[in-house]
Structures are given as C-alpha cells and as structure tokens.
Amino acid sequence: MSDTPNTNDDAGRDARHKARMVRKKEVVDSKIAAAQNERGVIVITTGNGKGKSSSGFGMVVRAMGHGMRTGVVQFIKGAFPSGEEMFLRRFPEECEFHVMGEGYTWETQDRARDVAKAEAAWEVARRMLRDPSFDLILFDELNIALKLHYLDLDTVIADLRARPPKQHVVITGRGAPSALIEAADTVTDMTPVKHAFEQGIKAQPGVEM
Amino acid sequence: MSDTPNTNDDAGRDARHKARMVRKKEVVDSKIAAAQNERGVIVITTGNGKGKSSSGFGMVVRAMGHGMRTGVVQFIKGAFPSGEEMFLRRFPEECEFHVMGEGYTWETQDRARDVAKAEAAWEVARRMLRDPSFDLILFDELNIALKLHYLDLDTVIADLRARPPKQHVVITGRGAPSALIEAADTVTDMTPVKHAFEQGIKAQPGVEM
C-alpha cells in the first residue's frame, strides 16, 4: 500500500477504497446486530413497473431452496398457463399452486363474476393462512382484487394478522391499498423507467408470461 | 342490467364498470396489436428497494417453465449458498449456475482481489453471451460490479450487444450505470417504501437469503 493515499495511482485508490469499506462494514455490522427479531413478515411489491410477480416467484423458489413449504394463489388468471405455473406445478409437495381468477377484468367485463371468483380465491388463501405447515405464501395480484373492491380489505387484513407467527406472506400487484401497506413489514414500489412493450416489442415467453 | 346507470345500486355499478372495462380493453388491445416485434431483450432491475434479485430469479424459473435454457452468474457471493442457488442447482440441464464473486466489498476490503474475481465472472458471462443455446441469462448483482468499476462498462455493453438476437438478459443490482440503462429495453427502479430490517427484524431464510 502507498504512503500517499491522495495520489491517483492504483495503490492510493485501493487504500482509499479500503478505508471507505472499513467504515461501511462498521455501519452494516451494527445494523445487523440491531436486527435480531425473527418472525413471519408481510412483503408487498407494488407500483407500475415490471418485476412485481417475478419477485414474488423468486421468493417462492428461494424458500423452496431452504426446504420451506410454499403456497401460491394467483388472483388474476391469464389466457394461458404462465411459465411460473408450468414450472412450479412440477413440485406439488413443495409448492401448492392455485390459479383462481378469471382474466383481467377488462377481458371478462363482468363484475359480479369477478367478485365471486375473487372470493373463492380468498377462501383458498385463508385456508393457507390458517395452516402453519406453509412457511411462505404468495398471493399474486391480490392488490388488484383489493383495488377493484372485489374483496373486503378489513377481512383480508384480519386474516393476515391472524396467521401463524412464523409464516411469511408475499403480496403483489399494482395499487396496494394504504391500509395493507401499513400492515406490511417490507414494501417496494416497482417504478417503471422504460419498458420494451412501449417500444413495440411483443410480450414474450420467459420475459412477460 | 339497470336502465339507470347513475344509481348507486349494484346493477348500476356493474353497468358503469362494464362500460369502463370495454374502453380499457380497446386501449389494451390496440397496444398489443402495435407491439409485434419479437427479439431478445435486456431487462434491468435496479434501485435501493427489495426484490431486484428475486425478480431476476423469478424470470429464470418462468423461462424454465417454458422449456427455455437458462444461465445464472452471480457477481456477488454471500457467506452461505442462497436459497435460489440451492434450488436451481437441482436442475443442471435447465440452468447453468455460477457463483463467482467474493462477498460484499465491505466484507473483503481488498479491491484488487474483487476486480480479479469480477473479471473471471465476466469471462463466464461472455461465454454465455456467445452461446445461442442459452435463451435467458441472469447476471445477478452485475450493476454493483460496474458501479464499483470492477469491470469496464464499454466492454460489457459491447458483449451484450453482440449476443444472439433472440437471447434475453436480465441484470440486477443497485446503481445501474446510465449507459447500461440506455442499452436496455426494460428498466425498473425498485423503490423502498419500508423494510423489515429497519424495524429490527433479522434477515431470514426464504425472505432475504
């Protein structure tokens, strides 16, 4: 290491880098020491950007990698099975997968039917929330069903609060209601910077479906 | 359906809903008709919020669900194998998985070694970018290696541009450089709203690791 850390040579750069990293490690280590509570968390991904559902499915496979039992309820069903569905249905012991919704609402154009489908989906969700054998549950696109008032928000929050203390729940979809954000532990807003679709590129398997 | 759509009863609500959804379907359908190009895309997830890597791994399993071949290069290695790694290593034919980095830089505190490790990781990445048998590749935490100048940005972008035309690439990590954002098709900024860690809750398997 150089004795002249203000020079622009590599040794000086490395020395300054090391000093910064030592300080950063102290900050990170002290935060880790302070965060010692273990309990089930509610994670929400919302916003208009891409990656909300993908992030939820990434957490499902991460949990499966740790030998945890997972459940998925998709509140909005597409015209075709998604790649996630086709993949996760290969592991029925590790992931209980339900697709319950009925297409996007502008496809069905029938509010009463959408409400009935959402309520049936929540019955499945509630059963999982009462079963401590599920370590992590994903409610994909639940936020949309709440935003459209297909489900009663107070009932949903009460069921979430009554779940087993170690159970993690991941909720995705744009338009998460503020009371749900209040009830959650970790919330991320996926903000679009740019999107291939707006540039005339088709939704493609593996990327969007 | 009611003849008086401005009443507050259920039939009126349903009729107004249906009219809105008919208009929405027209807008969505016309956008879909306009977006007909199919080609490999570069997807970036960046920002300080949770869900960047999870979203990348979600896209990997989505692609695997479609029978696509995938590759993963992790540019930052944790102290323990992640849940994603433990899970995806079960499918070596479907996903070629490499963990190449050397911990967070404030853990290693050795810039020269970090640079050498990042360069070795990019050699693996470049091999995948030259192999059309990979349909979708994830470069997890590549943005951090670029932000810290462990890799030459122009070289990385040139290698990305030279890849097979149908190949998709997903790049994660905070601090994506603007030239990389410029080269990408879809970019999402994961914006933190709240995080369990800041409330004293420990990082837990299946959620953060």
Side-chain angles (χ1 to χ4, degrees):
Chain A
M1 288 294 154
S2 167
D3 290 322
T4 54
N6 287 324
T7 61
N8 280 323
D9 63 14
D10 281 352
R13 186 179 193 180
D14 286 357
R16 289 194 303 280
H17 175 82
K18 178 157 182 166
R20 269 201 315 276
M21 292 300 120
V22 167
R23 285 194 299 277
K24 178 143 191 171
K25 180 167 163 57
E26 288 168 2
V27 172
V28 173
D29 286 349
S30 75
K31 280 198 184 183
I32 290 170
Q36 289 302 334
N37 292 331
E38 276 191 46
R39 64 166 173 78
V41 291
I42 299 177
V43 176
I44 297 181
T45 59
T46 190
N48 298 323
K50 181 174 165 53
K52 299 181 288 295
S53 292
S54 302
S55 146
F57 284 105
M59 289 181 70
V60 168
V61 297
R62 170 182 286 173
M64 289 164 72
H66 288 286
M68 295 162 74
R69 185 170 179 230
T70 64
V72 175
V73 180
Q74 285 198 292
F75 283 80
I76 304 285
K77 181 184 175 181
F80 302 98
S82 65
E84 300 91 321
E85 180 183 352
M86 290 189 284
F87 183 78
L88 288 170
R89 284 205 189 277
R90 289 163 54 183
F91 315 96
E93 302 295 314
E94 299 168 66
C95 180
E96 187 180 314
F97 201 105
H98 297 267
V99 182
M100 303 288 295
E102 186 70 11
Y104 281 94
T105 187
W106 56 87
E107 290 291 346
T108 69
Q109 301 177 4
D110 183 338
R111 188 171 193 281
R113 193 175 66 176
D114 290 351
V115 167
K117 296 277 180 182
E119 284 174 350
W122 189 253
E123 283 304 311
V124 173
R126 179 184 283 136
R127 188 205 7 108
M128 290 179 171
L129 288 170
R130 289 177 178 171
D131 181 350
S133 77
F134 287 100
D135 299 303
L136 185 144
I137 312 173
L138 168 62
F139 297 148
D140 187 45
E141 304 288 13
L142 172 60
N143 290 337
I144 293 184
L146 291 169
K147 187 185 172 193
L148 293 167
H149 304 286
Y150 290 173
L151 293 171
D152 179 61
L153 180 57
D154 291 341
T155 304
V156 165
I157 290 175
D159 287 338
L160 287 169
R161 290 220 161 105
R163 77 191 191 282
K166 297 260 180 182
Q167 190 180 70
H168 304 298
V169 181
V170 184
I171 298 170
T172 75
R174 56 182 71 189
S178 54
L180 192 67
I181 288 175
E182 185 63 35
D185 300 284
T186 297
V187 180
T188 307
D189 186 276
M190 310 273 177
T191 310
V193 177
K194 62 201 279 194
H195 198 299
F197 186 59
E198 304 294 339
Q199 298 155 59
I201 298 172
K202 194 174 176 177
Q204 295 173 92
V207 182
E208 276 92 11
M209 56 183 84
Chain B
M1 289 293 157
S2 165
D3 291 321
T4 54
N6 287 324
T7 61
N8 279 322
D9 64 13
D10 281 353
R13 187 179 192 181
D14 286 357
R16 289 192 304 282
H17 175 82
K18 179 157 182 167
R20 268 200 316 276
M21 291 301 118
V22 167
R23 285 193 300 276
K24 178 143 192 173
K25 181 167 163 54
E26 288 168 3
V27 172
V28 172
D29 285 350
S30 76
K31 280 198 185 183
I32 291 170
Q36 291 302 333
N37 292 332
E38 276 191 45
R39 63 166 173 79
V41 291
I42 298 177
V43 176
I44 296 181
T45 60
T46 190
N48 298 323
K50 181 174 165 53
K52 299 181 288 295
S53 292
S54 303
S55 148
F57 284 105
M59 289 181 70
V60 167
V61 298
R62 171 181 284 173
M64 289 164 73
H66 287 286
M68 294 161 75
R69 185 169 180 231
T70 64
V72 175
V73 180
Q74 285 198 291
F75 283 79
I76 304 285
K77 180 184 175 180
F80 302 98
S82 65
E84 300 91 321
E85 180 183 352
M86 290 190 284
F87 184 77
L88 288 170
R89 284 205 189 277
R90 289 162 52 183
F91 315 97
E93 301 296 314
E94 299 169 65
C95 180
E96 187 181 313
F97 201 104
H98 298 266
V99 182
M100 303 288 295
E102 187 69 11
Y104 281 93
T105 187
W106 55 86
E107 291 290 346
T108 68
Q109 301 178 2
D110 182 339
R111 188 169 193 282
R113 192 174 66 176
D114 290 351
V115 167
K117 295 277 181 181
E119 284 173 351
W122 190 252
E123 283 304 312
V124 173
R126 179 184 283 136
R127 176 182 46 82
M128 291 179 171
L129 288 169
R130 289 177 178 169
D131 181 349
S133 77
F134 287 100
D135 299 303
L136 185 143
I137 311 173
L138 168 63
F139 296 148
D140 186 45
E141 304 289 11
L142 171 61
N143 290 336
I144 293 184
L146 291 168
K147 187 185 172 191
L148 294 167
H149 303 286
Y150 290 173
L151 293 172
D152 178 60
L153 180 57
D154 292 341
T155 304
V156 165
I157 290 175
D159 288 338
L160 287 169
R161 289 220 161 103
R163 76 192 191 282
K166 296 260 180 181
Q167 190 180 69
H168 304 298
V169 181
V170 185
I171 298 170
T172 75
R174 55 182 71 189
S178 55
L180 193 66
I181 288 175
E182 186 62 35
D185 299 285
T186 296
V187 180
T188 307
D189 186 275
M190 310 273 178
T191 311
V193 177
K194 62 201 280 194
H195 198 299
F197 186 58
E198 304 295 339
Q199 299 155 57
I201 299 171
K202 195 175 177 178
Q204 296 172 92
V207 181
E208 276 92 11
M209 54 183 85

